[in-house]
Amino acid sequence: MMSLLINNMIRLYGASVSFYFDQAAKDPKKAQTNLLMRIVRDNTASAFGKAHGFSIIKTEAQYRKQIPIRDFEGYRPYINHILSGKKRVLTVADPVRFNITSGTINEPKYIPVTHQSQNQELNLIGQWYYRALRDHPGFLDHYRAAIVSPLNEGKTQTGIPFGNASGMMFDRIPHLIRRFYVLPVCVFQIRDYEDRYFLIARCALGKKVSFLLTPNPSTFIRLADIMTKHAEEIIKAIHDGKAGRDLLDQPEILQSLSHALTPDPERARYLEEILRRTGALRPRDVWPELKLIACWLGGSVGIQAYKLSAFYGDLPIRDLGYMASEAHMTLPYQDNTASGILAIQTNYYEFVPEEVHGTQNPPVLSCYEIEEGKRYAVLLTTSSGLYRYDINDIVEVTGFYHRTPLLAFIRKGQDMTNVTGEKMHTNHILAAMDEARRQFNLPLEQFRAAPDFENSRYCIYMELSANMPEKVLRDEVIPLIDQVLAKVNVEYAEKRKSKRLKLPYLAMMQRGWSEAECRKFVQSGKRDVQFKWRVLCAEARAEDNAVIIKTIESEKD
């Protein structure tokens, strides 16, 4: 009865908002122009609006003339003013919270969130559930499990909470729907990642689950590993109605969990029989009711998504949408694709062709001017106070929904890459290698980093001008690089703690590797002064792998 009520509520709400979304999708130029003018009008009296002449902006062209393109560092001074307590800085309506994520320097990014942007998030979530329910009528018939990061991780000096975008996304799900999610929110506050994943597995395995949700598919792989690794402990905890972990340093969470857990010998016997018969607690065996998986499918994390069938069976997977701490930008409406409809009622978008991204005064296109099959960098204007913000993402136009583009996230843009959501920047690699050079007097001739997507880690290509003991490189240099990366990149630190990212390894290069690359550049007809060494590559290069002498991996992971 409750499932029927929830389904009807989703259908009623979703049909309404989807109708207006579809109407807007038929005329994206009108929808985007109206949205932009409303954002400008609403924030004319903000400090940013006054400084940039919002009062005289009446067209898209005038907006682009008045507002320069900026990345986050261009907004950091404004954000710092808000953090110190100043009002009406970027928006007239002050932020109610901040999403926190890794920055390009050693400081995290605090992304402002307003009531209006929260309501826009709720609108997109409602449409996502409505469209998913239309295609998968039974996916909400049983319990659901959503694995997200903590909503709140602290407060600014003026008392504004900050935390994770995925936690906010989950928090915007209506309470009537959220109450049937099996994971208590306190589980996400557990500091020890081993304990956190154990409790996630213990709570999820205690119920029949028909829907699983998490942004990063590597989380699901980690969950499947924990389920089998700790199968007997989990079954006993379910039988006894216990947490299965002491959580000595967080007794308040244990107390909260104890109120929610009750003995369930019947469920324990069911799981015990599966373990006896198959030798493991695999998701595909323990949850025959499972109808739909929701996670990201685009970019590098998509590689992990394609591994899920080995653990979860041949189930439909629906992308959660192209989203970041800054904004929610697409609405997926089909299974097994990273493509989604551009959320034209939520943010105003501009697009820079990939090949000229990062150049002076690049050509800028509106969403109704971009072409199928081409790739673009995204400039974002939000109701939370980001204006012509270069989010440093590359997307591909995969088609159109009515007249509105379908976009798929491809990769991070210049000087940045991603294995599993850590947003590694060139500056992070530079900081780590500079510290290694300083501490160990490392005779570095040159170095480069690249993601190893298959093994969820980074390779550090390293050319030394003199020999160093392999033991020092293995047992001291690699752990130090890892420590510094965790210090300067909060997302990297989180992914390492949860073991979604593995320890980096070294690829020792032939002497002359870096000089040969420069020589090749010059021989192609370019001037040597134009040569720029790539410290961080979006993917491993065959020419680098061809001159590796040996690889060195630490056993301290």
Side-chain angles (χ1 to χ4, degrees):
M1 180 63 72
M2 184 58 69
S3 175
L4 180 62
L5 176 63
I6 291 172
N7 289 358
N8 286 339
M9 183 185 76
I10 292 172
R11 289 188 179 103
L12 184 64
Y13 175 79
S16 173
V17 295
S18 292
F19 171 79
Y20 290 107
F21 183 89
D22 282 1
Q23 291 300 111
K26 294 174 183 176
D27 192 351
K29 182 175 183 179
K30 179 181 177 181
Q32 283 280 275
T33 302
N34 289 346
L35 175 62
L36 175 62
M37 291 303 105
R38 190 181 77 231
I39 291 173
V40 169
R41 183 175 62 251
D42 288 349
N43 296 295
T44 297
S46 68
F48 188 94
K50 291 176 181 177
H52 292 83
F54 275 21
S55 61
I56 66 171
I57 296 174
K58 305 299 178 187
T59 66
E60 288 181 285
Q62 289 174 339
Y63 177 71
R64 292 172 184 175
K65 183 178 179 180
Q66 291 294 116
I67 315 298
I69 297 170
R70 290 181 173 93
D71 62 10
F72 184 81
E73 296 312 314
Y75 279 95
R76 194 180 289 276
Y78 295 97
I79 303 293
N80 288 341
H81 285 316
I82 301 173
L83 293 173
S84 69
K86 291 187 178 179
K87 303 290 186 181
R88 297 161 72 99
V89 178
L90 288 169
T91 52
V92 170
D94 292 317
V96 295
R97 63 173 283 109
F98 292 94
N99 288 333
I100 188 171
T101 186
S102 58
T104 60
I105 60 175
N106 298 354
E107 298 178 43
K109 298 190 294 188
Y110 287 84
I111 308 297
V113 178
T114 61
H115 276 305
Q116 185 175 359
S117 64
Q118 287 184 320
N119 290 334
Q120 291 169 331
E121 177 75 9
L122 176 61
N123 180 298
L124 287 173
I125 289 172
Q127 290 193 66
W128 190 97
Y129 273 85
Y130 167 71
R131 293 170 189 267
L133 188 61
R134 191 172 58 187
D135 296 337
H136 305 284
F139 93 99
L140 296 178
D141 283 355
H142 298 280
Y143 284 92
R144 306 116 214 184
I147 307 172
V148 296
S149 297
L151 171 64
N152 294 321
E153 293 191 342
K155 291 186 177 181
T156 67
Q157 65 185 52
T158 56
I160 303 175
F162 60 83
N164 291 275
S166 65
M168 187 187 78
M169 177 188 69
F170 180 69
D171 187 62
R172 302 314 295 168
I173 297 172
H175 176 71
L176 185 62
I177 300 174
R178 203 168 68 240
R179 62 183 291 200
F180 288 93
Y181 279 77
V182 298
L183 303 180
V185 293
C186 64
V187 169
F188 308 129
Q189 300 287 347
I190 297 174
R191 288 187 288 268
D192 184 278
Y193 273 84
E194 284 294 324
D195 286 345
R196 183 190 298 185
Y197 273 86
F198 178 91
L199 265 301
I200 288 172
R202 183 261 176 267
C203 292
L205 283 170
K207 300 292 184 181
K208 295 179 178 179
V209 172
S210 56
F211 175 50
L212 290 171
L213 178 155
T214 197
N216 201 312
S218 64
T219 300
F220 284 142
I221 295 174
R222 175 96 170 111
L223 175 64
D225 178 63
I226 291 291
M227 286 167 58
T228 291
K229 183 178 178 182
H230 298 285
E232 293 182 356
E233 293 175 80
I234 291 171
I235 291 172
K236 186 178 188 307
I238 291 171
H239 181 279
D240 298 341
K242 303 294 185 182
R245 286 291 184 269
D246 293 332
L247 302 182
L248 296 176
D249 62 333
Q250 293 180 287
E252 72 284 357
I253 292 180
L254 187 62
Q255 184 177 10
S256 179
L257 282 171
S258 66
H259 295 315
L261 302 176
T262 57
D264 194 343
E266 183 179 352
R267 182 69 179 175
R269 283 194 295 271
Y270 169 76
L271 296 173
E272 199 168 43
E273 172 58 23
I274 292 174
L275 180 61
R276 184 197 63 78
R277 179 164 40 86
T278 68
L281 290 184
R282 297 183 184 88
R284 66 171 183 259
D285 298 322
V286 300
W287 292 315
E289 309 84 4
L290 191 57
K291 295 291 190 295
L292 182 66
I293 293 175
C295 64
W296 286 329
L297 294 171
S300 58
V301 299
I303 296 173
Q304 304 301 320
Y306 292 117
K307 298 178 181 179
L308 293 180
S309 61
F311 307 97
Y312 292 83
D314 189 19
L315 288 170
I317 303 176
R318 182 156 297 194
D319 196 283
L320 287 170
Y322 169 36
M323 59 178 72
S325 298
E326 291 86 349
H328 191 153
M329 290 162 277
T330 66
L331 173 63
Y333 71 109
Q334 296 173 317
D335 296 333
N336 305 317
T337 175
S339 297
I341 312 163
L342 187 65
I344 55 173
Q345 296 174 304
T346 305
N347 313 290
Y348 173 74
Y349 310 92
E350 299 167 83
F351 297 88
V352 176
E354 178 185 25
E355 59 273 15
V356 293
H357 179 221
T359 63
Q360 287 284 337
N361 301 315
V364 176
L365 304 172
S366 297
C367 76
Y368 47 86
E369 297 174 313
I370 57 180
E371 300 177 45
E372 183 173 356
K374 293 191 175 181
R375 293 183 176 184
Y376 301 89
V378 181
L379 307 180
L380 194 59
T381 294
T382 74
S383 59
S384 291
L386 299 176
Y387 307 98
R388 307 199 77 203
Y389 173 79
D390 186 349
I391 196 171
N392 198 29
D393 286 347
I394 301 298
V395 299
E396 182 174 318
V397 182
T398 59
F400 291 87
Y401 179 85
H402 297 308
R403 296 173 61 192
T404 295
L406 298 173
L407 300 184
F409 172 77
I410 299 300
R411 60 175 176 84
K412 295 303 296 181
Q414 293 183 332
D415 300 325
M416 187 174 283
T417 189
N418 222 17
V419 172
T420 184
E422 72 286 351
K423 305 182 187 75
M424 185 70 73
H425 191 273
T426 295
N427 290 342
H428 301 146
I429 300 296
L430 289 171
M433 299 307 294
D434 186 61
E435 186 65 18
R437 190 201 308 263
R438 188 185 65 81
Q439 282 206 28
F440 298 103
N441 196 26
L442 201 63
L444 271 176
E445 186 70 29
Q446 193 51 275
F447 61 88
R448 168 177 290 144
D452 176 357
F453 296 117
E454 186 67 29
N455 296 298
S456 297
R457 59 182 180 174
Y458 279 85
C459 175
I460 310 294
Y461 298 89
M462 184 184 295
E463 179 186 349
L464 301 181
S465 59
N467 293 331
M468 276 201 76
E470 183 172 326
K471 186 177 188 303
V472 173
L473 294 170
R474 182 187 66 237
D475 297 340
E476 298 183 53
V477 173
I478 292 177
L480 176 71
I481 291 171
D482 182 57
Q483 290 166 18
V484 177
L485 290 176
K487 181 179 179 181
V488 300
N489 182 332
V490 294
E491 300 277 6
Y492 177 90
E494 181 184 343
K495 270 61 176 181
R496 283 288 293 127
K497 285 179 183 176
S498 65
K499 297 186 179 179
R500 284 175 284 176
L501 266 182
K502 297 176 183 176
L503 198 65
Y505 70 101
L506 302 180
M508 308 309 296
M509 309 302 285
Q510 291 179 9
R511 298 239 175 111
W513 163 61
S514 54
E515 182 184 348
E517 184 166 324
C518 180
R519 188 166 55 249
K520 182 179 178 181
F521 179 86
V522 174
Q523 289 172 348
S524 69
K526 301 181 179 70
R527 292 178 295 174
D528 57 355
V529 294
Q530 295 176 307
F531 179 71
K532 293 182 180 179
W533 181 261
R534 291 293 303 275
V535 170
L536 180 63
C537 291
E539 57 186 13
R541 308 189 321 162
E543 55 265 47
D544 291 338
N545 291 337
V547 291
I548 295 174
I549 301 172
K550 63 180 174 180
T551 58
I552 300 175
E553 302 185 29
S554 175
E555 299 177 356
K556 293 186 177 183
D557 203 0

